[in-house]
Amino acid sequence: MDLTIKELDNLDCLKEFKCGVEQMDKFIQNKLWMSIENCFCRAYGCYDEKEALVAFYALSFDSLNLDDDAKEDLQLSLGMKDKEIAPHYQDTFFSKGRYPAMEIAYLAINEDYRNQGLGRTIIEAIVSQAETQTLAGCQFLTVEALVTPAYSAIGFYSKCGFEAAELRRPYKDTLLMFRPVNI
């Protein structure tokens, strides 16, 4: 499916939007507008050929804190991937405590379009946005993957190249995950 992505300038389309995850649907329909109106994030609509809203996502700037173990894991995983930190920058990069990131604040696929590969397509579009945006540095994507008894997004984000940035905490309904970009 070919997608057209554009910034949402009218949020009325989200009042009836349903992704099929009750907790997210309630938030999207009733509260998301406040996050957008108060500059927490910017929302983007994903439209099919008929200009139907099939998904949306929202982005905000973030930073990622990595401890020494996470940095070591990152060094190992980058060694096995196409991306690589320039040799002359490695010491500087790994001495930092925080890294510039772009957060996927929200991502939802219309329940009628789930399980068609749209999520992965949208993640790659977000990676492209992160790599080409010029407002600030960006070395990672972050996401607080939703984890509830009825639904977990961890598997989806793992398949899209994200890794956990923390241990799973049973009292928290999200798990912080990250994916390198621009390195």
Side-chain angles (χ1 to χ4, degrees), residues 82-99:
D82 293 337
K83 293 189 179 250
E84 174 179 319
I85 299 167
H88 62 275
Y89 184 62
Q90 288 182 8
D91 288 342
T92 301
F93 178 85
F94 287 109
S95 70
K96 296 189 177 295
R98 293 176 29 191
Y99 300 89

Side-chain angles (χ1 to χ4, degrees), residues 68-144:
D68 289 338
D69 289 338
K71 289 178 188 179
E72 191 173 304
D73 291 346
L74 180 63
Q75 280 180 300
L76 292 172
S77 69
L78 286 175
M80 295 180 245
K81 295 182 180 178
D82 293 337
K83 293 189 179 250
E84 174 179 319
I85 299 167
H88 62 275
Y89 184 62
Q90 288 182 8
D91 288 342
T92 301
F93 178 85
F94 287 109
S95 70
K96 296 189 177 295
R98 293 176 29 191
Y99 300 89
M102 183 174 289
E103 179 185 17
I104 301 172
Y106 309 102
L107 169 60
I109 310 293
N110 180 303
E111 63 187 343
D112 295 333
Y113 293 86
R114 288 179 61 181
N115 300 313
Q116 296 181 26
L118 288 176
R120 187 176 296 256
T121 299
I122 293 167
I123 291 293
E124 294 311 315
I126 294 170
V127 168
S128 180
Q129 269 184 285
E131 290 176 336
T132 60
Q133 63 84 29
T134 58
L135 292 174
C138 182
Q139 294 177 311
F140 293 93
L141 285 179
T142 60
V143 66
E144 288 281 349

Side-chain angles (χ1 to χ4, degrees), residues 144-158:
E144 288 281 349
L146 183 63
V147 184
T148 68
Y151 175 81
S152 175
I154 294 173
F156 165 73
Y157 285 108
S158 293

Side-chain angles (χ1 to χ4, degrees), residues 3-22:
L3 289 180
T4 301
I5 298 173
K6 50 189 170 185
E7 188 170 354
L8 289 176
D9 55 1
N10 183 342
L11 302 179
D12 290 341
C13 61
L14 297 179
K15 290 180 181 173
E16 303 293 322
F17 188 92
K18 289 187 181 178
C19 67
V21 178
E22 185 177 354

